[in-house]
Amino acid sequence: MSLDCKTIHQEIYPYSTEIRTFFSPGRVNLIGEHIDYNGGYVMPFAISNGNAGCISIRLDQKIAFYSSNFSDYGIISSDLEHLEYVKDNGWANYAIGIIYELKKRNYLIPNGFDISITGNLPTGAGLSSSASIEALVITMMNECFHLGISKRDLSLISQYVENNYIHVNCGIMDQFVILNGIKDHALLLNTSSLEYKLVPMLLTEYEIVICNSLVKRGLVGSKYNERRQECDEALVIFQKFLDVSELCQISPSQFEMCKSYLGSNTLVKRSRHAVYENYRTIECFTAFNNKDYFKVGRLLTASHESLKDDYEVSCYELDLLVELALQNGSIGSRMTGAGFGGCTVSLVNKKDIEGFKKAVKDGYYQATGLLVEILVASVVDGTKEEV
Ligand code: GLA
């Protein structure tokens, strides 16, 4: 992929001389869904599908962006003094937002540059294609202009851009794992402290299989913000009885004791998901350490049930994919990411993989007329320069 990227770069910017190449992965979250904005534990990993990018530094102050995935946009250009959000810049706002924020924080970007990107992450599939671009561009800036920013801060700045420039109110999970991911490991990330532990993902008997429903995450913006707001409302009520600053600090027994004060079934459901999903994620970490993959599988499926019934962020197609997975050899399956479309993640015994793929494809096609895309995940490092 990086080779392709260099060829594209030379075609688009034929005058460029020194070209540096970077790769930024996508992400899959194994468990701990919709709790990264409630201070919970999440367990994401970086995947080999992602964005490759090339950069060459210019002598003037111009900046230019090209993506072969959005070739209709052509080359989007501006300069280092004009970095405001422009709707027509489309995908390039994720890149320009990063430059805007770095400059606002007084990081020195002395020269303009040309960037080209090519990716194999399906957009709108819930595999964080936008966070992958943010991570790619911020890493390029950090390396090419020697900004000396830690990976932790690169993640926080990228999340800040997503929240304040793009105006998507996401948590820290995607940017953090894309920048800090470690090959063959998931991170057990405490989203409150940003401390993490590694979870080995090279499983001798099982594969992690990703199924793309091909349903674009339509409602995600509005419903995502609505869920965040419901969690905040529930927290305010719990705080009258419990000394907590985030929903995921509440234990299941405290939740059961106090839930009747919430006064609304919706708030009970939302906060029940947050509290128990956090516990499932911690239990899942223990199950991995004990190599108890049946337990891991049961926790994944329980997470899906909770996202479907209590958090209400699933949809018919995701539920169908989970059902088909469980009927065809998977020991645990769930939707991954924000929901309302996108992908599922399933644990499947290696010897059952081919049968699994065929049965899920056929079943999904019969029910929906759609051809599900199936990827077997390889877990890679976070964004870095390719050498
Ligand atoms: C999106 C957001 C993340 C996280 C997930 C749900 O991917 O960007 O911060 O909230 O949804 O777990």
Side-chain angles (χ1 to χ4, degrees):
M1 205 157 102
S2 52
L3 268 181
D4 279 342
C5 183
K6 211 160 183 173
T7 312
I8 293 172
H9 196 85
Q10 277 159 336
E11 265 173 37
I12 301 290
Y13 312 111
Y15 48 83
S16 51
T17 49
E18 252 184 64
I19 302 174
R20 294 173 70 170
T21 305
F22 292 73
F23 178 74
S24 191
R27 73 95 188 87
V28 167
N29 187 22
L30 200 58
I31 193 164
E33 210 67 82
H34 278 282
I35 53 172
D36 65 338
Y37 48 85
N38 287 313
Y41 281 95
V42 297
M43 203 187 281
F45 53 85
I47 56 170
S48 54
N49 283 62
N51 287 294
C54 287
I55 180 166
S56 48
I57 306 301
R58 300 175 59 108
L59 296 174
D60 58 18
Q61 297 285 296
K62 290 205 176 111
I63 58 174
F65 302 90
Y66 175 83
S67 167
S68 66
N69 292 68
F70 300 97
S71 51
D72 289 357
Y73 280 86
I75 300 175
I76 296 168
S77 41
S78 186
D79 63 62
L80 288 169
E81 293 308 314
H82 295 95
L83 300 167
E84 304 71 34
Y85 185 96
V86 176
K87 191 161 180 274
D88 287 349
N89 285 344
W91 73 272
N93 281 308
Y94 294 99
I96 300 172
I98 292 289
I99 318 297
Y100 173 86
E101 192 54 36
L102 288 174
K103 287 206 57 178
K104 204 177 93 198
R105 294 177 190 222
N106 291 325
Y107 287 106
L108 186 65
I109 301 179
N111 292 75
F113 46 79
D114 296 319
I115 288 180
S116 60
I117 298 177
T118 180
N120 59 2
L121 262 181
T123 45
L127 301 177
S128 282
S129 52
S130 55
S132 172
I133 290 177
E134 289 157 1
L136 178 72
V137 173
I138 203 164
T139 303
M140 285 172 161
M141 295 298 115
N142 201 31
E143 296 299 320
C144 294
F145 298 119
H146 311 288
L147 304 182
I149 308 174
S150 68
K151 286 192 184 183
R152 183 183 195 272
D153 286 348
L154 292 176
S155 319
L156 288 167
I157 297 171
S158 303
Q159 183 204 12
Y160 187 91
V161 168
E162 185 91 31
N163 294 167
N164 298 287
Y165 190 90
I166 305 292
H167 295 294
V168 173
N169 212 4
C170 67
I172 187 64
M173 172 171 77
D174 302 349
Q175 288 80 5
F176 195 92
V177 72
I178 287 173
L179 282 152
N180 296 273
I182 306 277
K183 186 174 167 22
D184 297 331
H185 291 82
L187 308 184
L188 175 74
L189 173 66
N190 176 333
T191 58
S192 189
S193 65
L194 297 188
E195 281 165 7
Y196 62 89
K197 292 185 179 147
L198 296 181
V199 190
M201 279 291 124
L202 270 188
L203 316 174
T204 29
E205 264 181 274
Y206 295 96
E207 297 279 17
I208 297 163
V209 185
I210 298 152
C211 296
N212 180 2
S213 69
L214 298 186
V215 175
K216 300 255 178 182
R217 302 166 307 144
L219 285 169
V220 76
S222 56
K223 290 286 173 191
Y224 189 90
N225 288 342
E226 190 182 292
R227 293 295 175 278
R228 284 198 70 147
Q229 209 183 322
E230 288 161 347
C231 288
D232 291 346
E233 277 174 43
L235 177 63
V236 169
I237 300 172
F238 280 122
Q239 281 173 329
K240 293 186 187 151
F241 309 96
L242 301 168
D243 180 20
V244 290
S245 56
E246 289 171 300
L247 217 42
C248 288
Q249 286 172 356
I250 298 172
S251 68
S253 56
Q254 285 175 320
F255 169 80
E256 297 302 337
M257 249 159 43
C258 298
K259 68 180 181 195
S260 57
Y261 299 114
L262 288 171
S264 129
N265 193 32
T266 303
L267 295 192
V268 171
K269 283 164 50 166
R270 305 303 186 240
S271 48
R272 181 164 53 211
H273 170 74
V275 168
Y276 282 90
E277 181 75 353
N278 192 39
Y279 270 73
R280 277 189 287 274
T281 308
I282 298 166
E283 275 190 65
C284 193
F285 179 66
T286 310
F288 265 111
N289 283 338
N290 296 336
K291 298 198 167 32
D292 185 352
Y293 300 116
F294 282 105
K295 175 108 192 252
V296 171
R298 285 197 298 276
L299 290 164
L300 298 191
T301 307
S303 165
H304 184 77
E305 290 299 310
S306 174
L307 288 156
K308 170 174 169 263
D309 298 331
D310 275 352
Y311 218 62
E312 298 181 277
V313 290
S314 187
C315 63
Y316 165 72
E317 290 83 354
L318 289 173
D319 296 342
L320 176 66
L321 280 176
V322 166
E323 204 180 301
L324 287 168
L326 295 174
Q327 282 165 2
N328 291 289
S330 169
I331 58 166
S333 181
R334 56 181 288 273
M335 55 155 273
T336 181
F340 303 107
C343 294
T344 60
V345 57
S346 309
L347 214 52
V348 183
N349 198 305
K350 283 185 179 162
K351 65 179 174 34
D352 298 330
I353 283 281
E354 288 315 311
F356 172 91
K357 282 186 182 169
K358 185 170 181 334
V360 172
K361 270 190 179 153
D362 290 350
Y364 194 65
Y365 184 72
Q366 271 166 23
T368 63
L370 295 169
L371 281 174
V372 62
E373 269 176 6
I374 301 185
L375 312 172
V376 175
S378 55
V379 181
V380 302
D381 283 329
T383 312
K384 62 179 183 185
E385 183 158 15
E386 306 246 285
V387 279

